[in-house]
Amino acid sequence: MDFLRPASWQEALAAKAEHPSAVPIAGGTDVMVEINFDHRRPAYLLDLNRVGELAEWETAGDIVRLGASVPYTRIMEHLRRELPGLALAAHTVASPQIRNRGGVGGNLGTASPAGDAHPALLAGGGEVEAVSVRGTRMIPIDDFYLGVKRNALAPDELIRAVHLRKATGPQQFSKVGTRNAMVIAVCAFGIALHPDRRTVRTGIGSAAPTPIRATAAEEFLTAALDEGGLWDNGKPVPPAVARQFADLVAAAANPIDDVRGTASYRRHALAVMARRTLGWTWEQYRGEQQEERNQPCA
Amino acid sequence: MSTHQTRTEPAAAVAPGRTPTSLTQGTGGLTKGGIGESTLRPDGILKVTGEFAYSSDLWHEDMLWGYTLRSTVAHATIASIDTSEALATSGVYAVLTYDDLPTEVKHYGLEIRDTPVLAHGKVRHHGEPVALVAADHPETARRAAAKIRVEYEDLPVVTDEASATGPGAVLVHEGRDDHHSGHVPHPNIVHRQPIVRGDAAAAAARADVVVTGDYVFGMQDQAFLGPESGLAVPAEDGGVDLYVATQWLHSDLRQIAPVLGLPEKKVRMTLSGVGGAFGGREDLSMQIHGCLLALRTGKPVKIVYNRFESFFGHVHRHPATLHYEHGATRDGKLTHVRCRIVLDGGAYASASPAVVGNAASLSIGPYVVEDVDIEAIALYTNNPPCGAMRGFGAVQACFAYEAQMDRVAAELGMDPVEFRQINAMEQGTVMPTGQVVDSPAPVAELLRRVKARPLPPERQWETTEGADVRALPGGLSNTTHGEGVVRGVGYAVGIKNVGFSEGFDDYSTARVRMEVVGGEAVATVHTAMAEVGQGGVTVHAQIARSELGVTQVTIAPADTQVGSAGSTSASRQTYMTGGAVKNTCEAVREKVLDIGRRRFGTYHPAWATAELLLENGRVVTDGGEALADLADVLDGEVVDLELEFRHRPTQAFDLRTGQGNGHVQYSFAAHRAVVEVDTELGLVKVVELACAQDVGKALNPLSVVGQIQGGTTQGLGVAVMEEIVVDPVTAKVRNPSFTDYLIPTILDTPTIPVDVLELADAHAPYGLRGVGEAPTLSATPAVLAAIRQATGLELNRTPVRPEHLTGS
């Protein structure tokens, strides 16, 4: 196994072009587990730790450009307001030590359906900045996950950053594991309200071959909110609507029985999480609307 | 302080670079650090700062790395093994299979020698060792092992009682001739122990209520953090020096030496830093393999299992199915208990026979029941081998009988604690084995204490800024802000034996040396006790201080240059090796006083007349008058004694009736569990797990509380998460990693208030009672009882998984 240590982003891209089979490694919290368990022995490891800009983020307009290696700890500490769903998901990643090392780029590179960031990324919406010596392309997050541990990157591409829309409304993230910390998701659910567009987006983890959106549930809920004029009148979501939304989320999943849980439990838990997180986000939205209404006119 | 060599220092020619070192402990004050004080561990700071040398840190110049090739299937004939390609790999020094074993002794085992050193002709479980490789780099060894071609021809898999003893069952071991083979009803039953006392059938007729239940206990792993590891160094005399993490050096030695064809004195064993054990190091792992490779290559060989391999490198707790029938009269008196306990011993016997004896003899719990009909068996199957783990057969039984006690109480409309107290045993109670409990048994009092404790406040997650998810089921996974959360409270109490039972000649040896160093009388304690984290090294120094009046005590590394200390298991080490240290110290004290009388006896009449003690470096009368400094008494003389210590003898259980004074001592703990359950998602938060335990005498109160909290947490683990999942069709392990074998994190560990009683057992050193295991028993059923109360579900299986609570 050769260990490539590019000193700059340009060198990293050149190395990846020269050795397309090279596996990029930054925090190593996923790659090293695979290597230690002998699940894979790549011919080349491409160490990105000397590429400092990968661990930085910047905001421009309504977009956060989050470097691939920004550790989860920093997301929790600094981007709670801009990316609340992702910050909540970051809280559930493994242990404090691993959150200090791991970043979203690793989750995306591995593209495991159990990656904790995915439901939040899908719900929040955004694009993956994929770069090679040939140039840069923006891959919408909805098109990024292709199969079990397969993503849309070309062999010579590296993930530079993800471009995420700053939250315009409440976001939530819930994850079921069989212990109260440091656990791989049995299943997970992310939801983001987008009041500016009057839409709702969702993300499901660990309950299908890839992370997925529950699009039928989103469409149903978006229509129901519109129909009831709920975005404006600030009324609660009718229980029947919440139930239907939850059922559609469960129906969107395509889970399996495995050592971590049964398929039927996963569907059940997704429905519960969908109903609860919808309640939390909608109540927060209503509260914020109420506050706005109560503000005296300037 | 102790000194530690590190990797950066050049290694000596022969001695390994990182080896166990003596732990010298001074207290720097007068009469300090004796028994009853919470002196700190001598290795505590080293451990928390990462400086302590564990067995996986062992290193020797020019050493090779050993690797074990393991079976990929559970039950198969080995048609062929081709090692040629592996042997031809550059950097490989040796590849060994069964055919390379040097003597006629090719098996080992704790009680029954049924475990092949390397598989011969067939494999009986997933992960069984098949071949060994030694190479100059661990990666080279691993790759070479991957080139060994093993052809397996699958055999039918025995996985449960039906496939083990049903018609046409495949025999896991053919031609058994061990000492249990004559009395078991089927060759796939390792051992069977019935216990019959009174007339259960007649008593059942008197019962107003009869409750039956079937229970399942999953396979728990010890999950110690330091993986199996050791270093074997070939010696010039043709022998071998073995540095290893184990629980019982001399038991290892007895099993290793015959396989190597060496006399025991040429296999010199030294305990290396042990990262936990909990029963999982009673059986051999890499010991013989490392020695074989070292002797074959003439080079030191280190073997370290990784976490994945560790799950195959040691036995687990027996999974069990248990059938119980309890009867009681309207006024709450138990009439009878009938039960049948089936333990899955897996492919090899390990400690199964003794686990059967424990499960049977402790099967009804700490209650008075005169009419019982009990049967416990352990099966041979092709599942992973199971053996010793903290609680040892009593854990599985306690889970079932405590569930039964709750159900009978409910049938009677009685409070579950009151019902237990009505039936609680006490000093003088006769066990189902006929043994009279002849020391305090404060079962009702322990229950009273946990019940009297104020309950933790409700809805602790509520804060002014919303829900604190850390205090809720699901924790930071953010699954509830209070929705669906229901509280439950449950109680349980258990009984565990202390020490080795059933007529076993259980003894410990201690060597104590007293001399003057730098003008101060000091002591050295040398035993073969395996310090696995239990705190024996702390307690031995405390005993020596109390008995010999010295401040500075050195605990020599444990090795086989001194007599056996027995196993660090069965809650026995403070009783047994602690007892041996006390016993030897007393003899040393007499020698020292003899020297004193010889030298100074004429100067003061008290030398001849008074009861003399050693305190604060002086000889004093029981009235406190100082007669001489110990340094002056000893002058240049050295007192050095090695003595054995035994507990009261026990008896075997009758094979037909189970009668016999089988146990040395009993220990008792009670728990109250308070849980909050997210009833919609099936997630559990244990809020508090209060424990009350009688320890006879707390030699080190801090260690005692630590043991109780640790045992409690291990019991919690198997209540809500810990289970090795074995595929019921292939008998292969599905979750051999800490990714999927979950143990409690600190967020899963509740507040554990501990109430320690000290009711002395007159038969035991200082009146002490073994501590380590009892809390592991009752924690699990208490948590289950609390979850049952919260959910109203039966929950006859542990661990409880979320889908068991949601019904999905």
Side-chain angles (χ1 to χ4, degrees), chain B residues 15 122 126 183 218 237 260 285 305 355-356 362 364 384 449 500-501 512 524 572 642 682 746 790 792 797 803:
Chain B
K122 68 159 76 169
H126 180 206
H183 71 82
D237 66 353
L260 304 179
S285 58
Y305 295 172
V355 172
V356 166
L362 304 170
I364 68 162
R449 286 181 180 233
F500 278 32
S501 301
V512 177
T524 302
R572 69 179 282 288
E642 178 177 329
I746 195 66
R797 186 189 195 286
E803 57 263 31

Side-chain angles (χ1 to χ4, degrees), chain B residues 604 607 615 618-621 623-629:
Chain B
H604 196 300
W607 280 101
E615 275 179 15
R618 296 177 301 184
V619 178
V620 298
T621 66
E625 185 183 358
L627 298 183
D629 277 353

Side-chain angles (χ1 to χ4, degrees), chain B residues 239 244 333 363 428 718 790:
Chain B
V244 68
K333 292 288 270 185
S363 62
V718 79

